[in-house]
Amino acid sequence: MFGLALSALILVFGIFLRTTNNLGFASSKRFSWLFIILGIITLTGKIIILYQKGEL
């Protein structure tokens, strides 16, 4: 379950980077798509693994 929370946090952080206008995050905005894609892939992968194991 920790993996689900961590991948959801990565996804939310990627969306946050994409939508923020804060100058402190301006240099990191180009990594937003990386975090979004990584969060989606890990979240779906973890859900599939938990479903196959019967824990979900």
Side-chain angles (χ1 to χ4, degrees):
M1 288 299 183
F2 178 71
L4 284 174
L6 187 61
S7 59
L9 183 68
I10 291 171
L11 179 63
V12 169
F13 182 67
I15 293 171
F16 167 74
L17 276 180
R18 190 78 186 143
T19 59
T20 189
N21 290 328
N22 190 343
L23 294 176
F25 292 109
S27 63
S28 301
K29 276 182 97 81
R30 59 185 159 164
F31 295 115
S32 66
W33 284 114
L34 174 79
F35 285 122
I36 291 170
I37 292 171
L38 184 68
I40 290 171
I41 289 173
T42 55
L43 190 62
T44 55
K46 190 67 173 174
I47 288 172
I48 289 171
I49 290 171
L50 286 175
Y51 181 73
Q52 288 178 346
K53 289 171 83 176
E55 296 179 7
L56 189 64

